[in-house]
Amino acid sequence: MGEMLSAARRRLFDAAEADGAPAELFEALKYPQETTAISLPLRRDDGSLTLVKAWRCRYSDHLGPTKGGLRFHPSVNADEVQTLAFWMMVKCALLELPFGGGKGGAAIDARALTPFERERLTRGYAEALSHVLGPERDIPAPDVGTGPTEMAWIAETYGAHFGRAVPHVATGKPPVLGGLDGRAGATGDGAFHVLEALAGPLGLGDDAKRIAVQGYGSGGRRFAERAAEVGWTVVAVSDSSGTAFAGDGLDLEAVGRAKDEDGEVSGAYGAEAMEADALFDLDCDLLVPAALGGVIDEARAKDLRCTALLEIANGPVKPEADAALEEKGIAVAPDVLANGGGVFVSWLEWVQGRSQVPIPAEEVADRLKTRLTARAEAVAEASRELNLGLRGAAYALAARRLSQAIRAGGADAFSGVGSNDD
């Protein structure tokens, strides 16, 4: 077991133990159910050959077919994929979705690929793992370095392999190919609903409205725009190139233009350009990590100057930093709750694909708000009940549901076999 997965597992097991979870939980979730490693030959446009390491992990299907994104990024490795699958298991359990946790990835820089190379890599991945994937077995979705087009390629390749159309083998597809109109903004929208529900428990009163967003991809950008619409002041946003800062609040339209036209937020009109990591040193009420994981370690946590964190990225806070945040009194809306909008809408897309009954965008938005708000309120209540932080409470609720599923499908389910009751 890798260090990253071991640390993530400890968070769940500590919360489960505090909640009195049965022994079956700890044994059943000790290791991933299935991890497949492959080497994909990628023929480049210039005729050269690159061998790409890739993985797919199905951590647990106790609650249903495994569900999780596919990322193309140089940092991808087996430990990361298994950890992300573990977090997806926790997230789906917390959100009360009929899914287990899965994840996939390929160790390559998607930005360095031509469109034809991306297509060959994606289709090769889907073909090589066609025995792992399936609409009732393991369902990929977009993640870092992939998007709707890649999901369409996966669905088409999988369908061709088995000789039938299976659009719901992947979610996050273009709407014209069975996707949902609300999927693209679902992660940011869901995070916004979590903020609205947890502002009080996070210690954010009416006068605490300054937000800094680290990472300005689809999730972070959508969240910033939604928050600004209702009166939050976004004072800083960053991407890999730098930080755009304005103490009185950024003009998000200018930031968006700079990102769309130049690929960098730091050149936004009217904003002060700073180094990317300078965002972590700024005074703000809410810090929103929305890029890659592991950006806040113990040393950085001790220097943060914020009241609360809301995690849109997967695993932005290393477990070693949890104690430092608690000591500083920085509350955390955890990733397994805050970024759950994406997988919730993916579930709706999967339901639409299975039923062939379209779900209107208005209904998607309403159901997303209802579910994320309800689960955030449940986490706040569990936090008070168990005297745990919001992260611990979220994990405890997920552990309860997983324990119920494990027991329902385990020995207890057969306790009446062989009885003489009749």
Side-chain angles (χ1 to χ4, degrees):
M1 182 185 303
E3 181 179 347
M4 187 178 179
L5 175 57
S6 180
R9 194 182 68 168
R10 178 47 48 199
R11 276 177 171 167
L12 177 67
F13 286 4
D14 285 347
E17 186 174 22
D19 194 35
E24 288 94 334
L25 175 82
F26 305 99
E27 191 64 26
L29 302 181
K30 184 182 294 185
Y31 304 114
Q33 179 175 326
E34 174 186 4
T35 303
T36 305
I38 59 175
S39 296
L40 285 174
L42 172 62
R43 184 66 64 182
R44 299 283 193 163
D45 289 354
D46 63 5
S48 63
L49 183 68
T50 300
L51 203 62
V52 181
K53 289 297 296 179
W55 297 264
R56 187 73 191 177
C57 175
R58 301 175 65 246
Y59 199 95
S60 159
D61 64 2
H62 288 100
L63 286 168
T66 49
K67 185 80 184 74
L70 169 63
R71 61 173 51 183
F72 293 164
H73 193 273
S75 69
V76 170
N77 57 54
D79 187 23
E80 179 186 72
V81 168
Q82 292 181 128
T83 304
L84 291 167
F86 178 90
W87 283 329
M88 278 299 301
M89 174 193 70
V90 174
K91 188 185 308 182
C92 291
L94 174 62
L95 295 179
E96 299 184 338
L97 297 176
F99 289 141
K103 205 73 176 186
I108 194 166
D109 186 354
R111 296 171 299 181
L113 300 175
T114 69
F116 293 117
E117 290 170 346
R118 289 170 69 96
E119 181 174 3
R120 286 193 287 272
L121 177 65
T122 305
R123 290 187 183 276
Y125 182 93
E127 181 66 34
L129 292 172
S130 58
H131 64 293
V132 175
L133 305 178
E136 282 81 37
R137 193 173 194 275
D138 183 51
I139 307 144
D143 202 299
V144 176
T146 64
T149 301
E150 284 76 14
M151 296 308 106
W153 289 332
I154 287 175
E156 185 180 26
T157 302
Y158 181 89
H161 181 88
F162 288 101
R164 64 185 188 275
V166 193
H168 52 295
V169 71
T171 61
K173 303 180 298 296
V176 71
L177 296 177
L180 291 178
D181 285 327
R183 177 62 178 85
T187 300
D189 287 340
F192 170 72
H193 297 317
V194 169
L195 172 61
E196 292 278 274
L198 293 183
L202 289 172
L204 302 171
D206 291 339
D207 58 345
K209 293 285 189 179
R210 291 165 56 85
I211 296 178
V213 180
Q214 184 260 339
Y216 213 59
S218 59
R221 180 171 177 172
R222 177 72 171 181
F223 169 81
E225 291 169 350
R226 290 295 304 271
E229 287 173 0
V230 297
W232 294 82
T233 302
V234 181
V235 297
V237 300
S238 71
D239 57 20
S240 59
S241 67
T243 294
F245 171 76
D248 294 330
L250 289 166
D251 178 348
L252 293 185
E253 289 188 4
V255 174
R257 282 194 299 272
K259 184 67 174 177
D260 294 340
E261 295 173 5
D262 304 322
E264 301 178 356
V265 298
S266 56
Y269 177 79
E272 177 184 349
M274 306 170 71
E275 295 294 323
D277 285 351
L279 180 136
F280 293 108
D281 300 324
L282 298 174
D283 279 314
C284 61
D285 299 303
L286 180 67
L287 175 62
V288 183
L292 293 173
V295 296
I296 299 177
D297 57 15
E298 183 178 13
R300 177 163 280 168
K302 290 180 179 179
D303 292 334
L304 291 180
R305 300 158 68 185
C306 60
T307 300
L309 288 171
L310 186 142
E311 300 178 331
I312 293 181
N314 287 308
V317 175
K318 293 184 176 181
E320 69 191 48
D322 288 346
L325 293 175
E326 184 176 358
E327 185 175 335
K328 288 178 66 72
I330 297 176
V332 179
D335 51 356
V336 293
L337 172 65
N339 68 22
V343 71
F344 178 77
V345 175
S346 278
W347 169 62
L348 293 180
E349 181 181 333
W350 181 73
V351 169
Q352 175 180 268
R354 288 170 59 89
S355 67
Q356 293 298 296
V357 177
I359 302 177
E362 297 80 6
E363 182 178 344
V364 172
D366 289 345
R367 294 179 70 172
L368 173 63
K369 179 179 180 179
T370 298
R371 180 66 63 93
L372 269 293
T373 299
R375 299 316 296 158
E377 291 172 348
V379 167
E381 182 178 350
S383 176
R384 294 188 294 269
E385 171 195 334
L386 300 173
N387 194 29
L388 292 172
L390 294 172
R391 190 191 305 282
Y395 274 81
L397 289 180
R400 287 182 191 177
R401 189 164 182 83
L402 287 162
S403 295
Q404 292 168 0
I406 291 165
R407 285 204 155 181
D412 286 356
F414 303 97
S415 59
V417 173
S419 69
N420 295 316
D421 291 343
D422 59 350

